[in-house]
């Protein structure tokens, strides 16, 4: 008589019920790989991940199983090779816009183009006016950094900036000058500087190849191809940003003082701008909402009180809570904000790619194990509605106290 093997239905129920105290003991150890019958190593797709503290299976993207521990494995820091130019044969000068005191995506494209023009013998010289907040010049492809400071360069002073560039030109004699052909200063400054040098610049350049440059013409419908001039005003995405090398960013100084220009332009100072009218690619402070936002009226009120530009995840856009032009991510808009506040966003890979250049990321989420929490510099675990309400009250109290102190 053959033996009859009976299975305990209660044991199966415990194995399926991850909240049961005996659940962990009933689980079978899953191997990540095993030898198949034909001698081929098989990989178990169900063995990738771990059971979290709440009994929910998590995917381990670090490459090492974390078990049931809450500790995160530190990502390995990859040290990029150092590009050095001890004795530059020539210079490629770049004048970035530095909106908000930091390098923008357009500036990084420009530095990528300068790096390709410099090759191995030349050095990329970045010329920055006034104080800045950028600390990643070395990763952007800057070999030499020249910061020109002074009250005369503050605010809107294009004529004085031209005087500064002329002093740089006399001392370093760059082979090429590169400025962003943008509306945030580079386009105007480049044309003024070209007039001062008597140069005919190439404008709206989107490609440089084989000693020639291609620029947009005819309302953007045609390409104008010409020889590579000394002064280039480049459009966005003119080249790939530097990403495979780090550079020295050695400081440089002017050997002579900059001549003062007669103040024929009066700067009336900045004017208040509606944050909703700021393009997300240029916004300094962005508050984005995702699937975890349940009270969108409260979300809009919070962004208004904070004076931030609104953004959204793809899920929030697809659900109709936010317009398509507010979608952040690889499938939306790549942003470079100083502060990025993610409310109820779990952190899909496309979204994380889109905020990769943000300086500081703050996450508000109920799930402490989501990818956005791992990416964030500061995380707040809790209900988004309660946290936003408390944030609104804190800002209003701060402003009321400031008004009383001023009175």
């Amino acid at each position: 008589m053959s033996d009859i093997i009976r299975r305990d239905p209660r044991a199966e129920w415990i194995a399926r019920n991850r909240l049961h105290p005996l659940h962990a003991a009933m689980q079978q150890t899953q191997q990540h790989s095993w030898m198949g019958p034909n001698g081929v190593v098989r990989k178990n797709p169900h063995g990738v991940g771990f059971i979290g503290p709440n009994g929910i299976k998590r995917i381990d993207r670090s490459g090492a199983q974390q078990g049931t521990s809450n500790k995160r494995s530190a990502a390995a820091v990859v040290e990029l090779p150092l590009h050095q130019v001890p004795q530059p044969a020539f210079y490629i000068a770049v004048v970035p816009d530095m909106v908000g005191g930091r390098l923008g995506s357009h500036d990084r494209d420009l530095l990528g183009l300068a790096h390709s023009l410099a090759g191995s013998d030349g050095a990329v010289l970045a010329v920055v006016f006034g104080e800045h907040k950028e600390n990643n010049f070395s990763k952007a492809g800057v070999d030499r950094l020249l910061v020109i400071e002074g009250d005369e360069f503050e605010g809107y002073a294009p004529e004085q900036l031209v005087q500064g560039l002329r002093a740089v030109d006399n001392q370093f004699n760059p082979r090429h000058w590169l400025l962003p052909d943008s509306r945030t200063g580079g386009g105007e400054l480049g044309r003024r500087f070209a007039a001062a040098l008597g140069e005919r610049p190439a404008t709206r350049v989107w490609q440089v190849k084989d000693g020639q440059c291609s620029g947009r013409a005819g309302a953007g419908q045609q390409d104008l191809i010409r020889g590579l001039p000394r002064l280039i005003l480049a459009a966005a995405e003119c080249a790939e940003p530097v990403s495979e090398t780090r550079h020295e960013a050695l400081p440089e100084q002017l050997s002579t003082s900059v001549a003062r220009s007669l103040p024929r332009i009066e700067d009336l100072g900045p004017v208040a701008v509606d944050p909703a009218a700021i393009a997300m690619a240029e916004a300094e402070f962005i508050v984005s909402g995702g699937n975890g936002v349940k009270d969108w009226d409260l979300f809009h009120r919070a962004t208004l009180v904070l004076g931030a530009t609104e953004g959204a995840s793809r899920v929030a856009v697809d659900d109709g809570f936010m317009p398509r032009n507010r979608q952040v991510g690889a499938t939306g808009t790549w942003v470079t904000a100083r502060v990025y506040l993610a409310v109820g966003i779990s952190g899909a890979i496309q979204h994380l790619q889109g905020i990769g250049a943000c300086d500081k990321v703050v996450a508000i989420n109920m799930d402490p194990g989501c990818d956005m929490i791992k990416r964030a510099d500061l995380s707040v675990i809790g209900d988004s509605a309660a946290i936003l309400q408390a944030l609104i009250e804190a800002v209003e109290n701060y402003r009321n106290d400031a008004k009383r102190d001023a009175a």
Side-chain angles (χ1 to χ4, degrees), residues 90-93 113-114 117 169 174-179 190 193-194 197-215 224-234:
F90 58 90
Y91 291 96
I92 304 295
L113 177 59
L117 292 175
D169 190 65
R175 176 177 292 184
H176 294 290
W177 279 94
L178 274 65
L179 289 88
F193 185 43
L197 295 180
E199 299 276 353
R200 178 172 172 257
T203 61
R204 303 177 69 185
V205 173
W206 64 273
Q207 185 184 58
V208 174
K209 186 178 181 181
D210 299 332
Q212 292 185 322
C213 61
S214 302
L224 179 62
I225 302 176
R226 54 172 292 193
L228 195 62
R230 186 162 181 255
L231 186 57
I232 303 170
L233 304 183

Side-chain angles (χ1 to χ4, degrees), residues 137-383:
F137 284 110
S138 60
K139 295 182 180 179
V142 176
D143 300 310
R144 301 291 189 272
L145 177 62
L146 175 60
V147 180
I148 305 177
E149 297 181 324
D151 296 338
E152 64 272 23
F153 300 106
E154 299 296 331
Y156 179 70
E159 294 174 323
Q160 187 60 46
L161 296 181
V162 169
Q163 293 292 347
L165 296 182
R166 296 192 68 171
V168 176
D169 190 65
N170 293 333
Q171 179 174 336
F172 294 93
N173 190 27
R175 176 177 292 184
H176 294 290
W177 279 94
L178 274 65
L179 289 88
D181 200 350
S182 63
R183 299 179 181 178
T184 51
E188 178 191 1
L189 180 60
R191 287 164 174 82
R192 287 178 177 270
F193 185 43
L197 295 180
E199 299 276 353
R200 178 172 172 257
T203 61
R204 303 177 69 185
V205 173
W206 64 273
Q207 185 184 58
V208 174
K209 186 178 181 181
D210 299 332
Q212 292 185 322
C213 61
S214 302
R216 296 297 183 190
Q221 302 299 317
Q222 298 176 349
D223 282 343
L224 179 62
I225 302 176
R226 54 172 292 193
L228 195 62
R230 186 162 181 255
L231 186 57
I232 303 170
L233 304 183
E237 301 181 358
C238 57
E240 289 291 333
V242 175
S243 60
E244 298 180 354
T245 55
R246 57 189 176 95
H247 298 243
E248 295 179 294
L250 298 177
E252 294 281 359
Q253 291 183 345
L254 287 175
S255 57
T256 59
S257 59
V258 179
R260 298 293 294 264
S261 64
L262 296 176
R264 297 181 296 177
I265 300 175
E266 181 182 2
D267 184 6
L268 300 179
V271 296
V273 179
D274 183 8
I278 301 177
M280 284 197 304
E282 302 175 359
E284 292 288 300
F285 182 20
I286 298 176
V287 176
S288 277
N291 192 42
V293 176
K294 305 305 178 185
D295 190 343
W296 283 96
D297 291 335
L298 178 64
F299 174 83
H300 296 314
R301 187 155 61 92
T303 56
L304 182 62
V305 171
L306 293 171
T309 302
E310 291 187 352
S313 67
R314 182 188 60 81
V315 176
V317 171
D318 290 345
D319 291 343
F321 293 112
M322 293 287 284
R324 184 65 61 183
N325 64 342
R326 289 294 160 184
Q327 180 178 332
V328 177
T331 55
T333 302
W334 297 65
V335 296
T336 59
R338 278 188 64 195
V339 178
Y340 185 83
L341 176 57
V343 183
I345 299 177
S346 60
I349 184 62
Q350 294 87 350
H351 195 93
L352 295 179
Q353 288 175 345
I355 65 174
C358 290
D359 193 8
K360 298 297 181 183
V361 176
V362 181
I364 299 176
N365 208 291
M366 290 284 289
D367 183 6
C370 69
D371 291 334
M372 183 60 73
I373 295 294
K374 297 177 183 178
R375 163 66 177 87
D377 300 283
L378 174 64
S379 302
V380 184
I381 309 301
D383 179 61

Side-chain angles (χ1 to χ4, degrees), residues 56-123:
I56 301 176
K57 187 172 182 179
R58 303 290 186 195
I59 296 176
D60 184 6
R61 294 184 173 88
S62 65
Q65 291 297 314
Q66 302 180 25
T68 57
S69 173
N70 291 330
K71 299 174 68 176
R72 302 176 192 164
S73 60
V77 178
V78 179
E79 192 72 14
L80 297 175
L82 179 62
H83 176 81
Q84 293 178 300
V85 189
Q87 298 294 332
F90 58 90
Y91 291 96
I92 304 295
V94 178
V95 188
D97 273 340
M98 300 291 292
V99 177
R102 297 181 302 113
L103 291 172
S105 59
H106 196 168
D107 298 332
R108 295 179 183 274
D109 295 341
L110 205 67
L111 289 168
L113 177 59
H115 181 59
S116 64
L117 292 175
S120 58
D121 298 329

